[in-house]
Amino acid sequence: GCLFRCLYCHNPDTWKLHNGRAVTLDEALAEVRPYAGFLRFAGGVTISGGEPMLQAGFVGALARRIKTELRLHVALDTQGFLHDTLDDAWFDPIDLVLLDIKHSDPGQYRRLTGQDLQPTLDFAQRLVRLGKRMWIRYVLVP
């Protein structure tokens, strides 16, 4: 699911919070495990969504198991809006955050997404404090 309502969203199917396919942690790992050797060479696993932090318990446990059992690089693709609901240790298995900042102007950000910019900026500062690698993602819409 996703709490944002971006005007240019290419995945509006993620707006419904309970519309996905239910899988257990073991089932999710079973889907990744056969590709672990290749993924170790090719970059790792990226957890995205919608917004992965909406399922923080599952995503945190999945990231930890991917990191410890499969020894893979773990990236998190997020707009960071929900970061303040999680403690610092939740981010331990995350190697890289792909931080989606949809606009630099707070008013335009709210117009585009329906949400405030500040939580995302606060998350960027938190990542710096935690020493986490981060790539800023920005969608350019003409």
Side-chain angles (χ1 to χ4, degrees), residues 25 29 47 56-72 74 87-94 132:
L25 193 52
L29 277 167
I47 301 171
F58 182 85
V59 168
L62 179 63
R64 197 164 301 283
R65 286 188 64 186
I66 288 171
K67 176 58 85 187
T68 59
E69 293 177 29
L70 303 179
R71 300 179 328 275
L72 294 173
V74 178
D87 62 34
D88 287 350
W90 189 91
F91 297 96
D92 288 349
I94 306 299
K132 291 293 176 182

Side-chain angles (χ1 to χ4, degrees), residues 2 6 17 32 34 44-46 49 54 60-62 73 79 85 91-92 98 106-107 110 116 125-128 141:
C2 186
C6 299
L17 296 183
V32 176
V45 172
T46 300
L54 276 171
L62 179 63
H73 181 276
Q79 25 71 359
T85 64
F91 297 96
D92 288 349
L98 308 171
R110 175 163 272 296
D116 291 326
Q125 289 296 321
R126 182 179 187 184
L127 293 172
V128 169
V141 179

Side-chain angles (χ1 to χ4, degrees), residues 5-81:
R5 297 298 178 260
C6 299
L7 296 179
Y8 54 82
C9 182
H10 66 284
N11 285 332
D13 55 305
T14 66
W15 291 2
K16 295 180 181 175
L17 296 183
H18 304 286
N19 207 28
R21 175 175 62 105
V23 295
T24 67
L25 193 52
D26 288 335
E27 289 169 338
L29 277 167
E31 289 187 30
V32 176
R33 187 170 277 112
Y35 306 102
F38 172 74
L39 293 171
R40 212 169 284 118
F41 169 76
V45 172
T46 300
I47 301 171
S48 66
E51 174 47 54
M53 285 191 251
L54 276 171
Q55 299 179 56
F58 182 85
V59 168
L62 179 63
R64 197 164 301 283
R65 286 188 64 186
I66 288 171
K67 176 58 85 187
T68 59
E69 293 177 29
L70 303 179
R71 300 179 328 275
L72 294 173
H73 181 276
V74 178
L76 179 70
D77 185 356
T78 179
Q79 25 71 359
F81 187 75

Side-chain angles (χ1 to χ4, degrees), residues 67-138:
K67 176 58 85 187
T68 59
E69 293 177 29
L70 303 179
R71 300 179 328 275
L72 294 173
H73 181 276
V74 178
L76 179 70
D77 185 356
T78 179
Q79 25 71 359
F81 187 75
L82 298 172
H83 78 97
D84 64 349
T85 64
L86 305 169
D87 62 34
D88 287 350
W90 189 91
F91 297 96
D92 288 349
I94 306 299
D95 298 299
L96 172 67
V97 175
L98 308 171
L99 184 58
D100 189 5
I101 300 179
K102 298 172 186 300
H103 205 287
S104 60
D105 176 77
Q108 290 286 41
Y109 192 93
R110 175 163 272 296
R111 187 181 72 72
L112 286 172
T113 69
Q115 300 292 346
D116 291 326
L117 171 60
Q118 195 58 52
T120 298
L121 298 179
D122 293 344
F123 183 50
Q125 289 296 321
R126 182 179 187 184
L127 293 172
V128 169
R129 179 178 57 79
L130 293 173
K132 291 293 176 182
R133 288 185 58 222
M134 160 183 25
W135 291 354
I136 302 296
R137 293 183 51 230
Y138 183 81

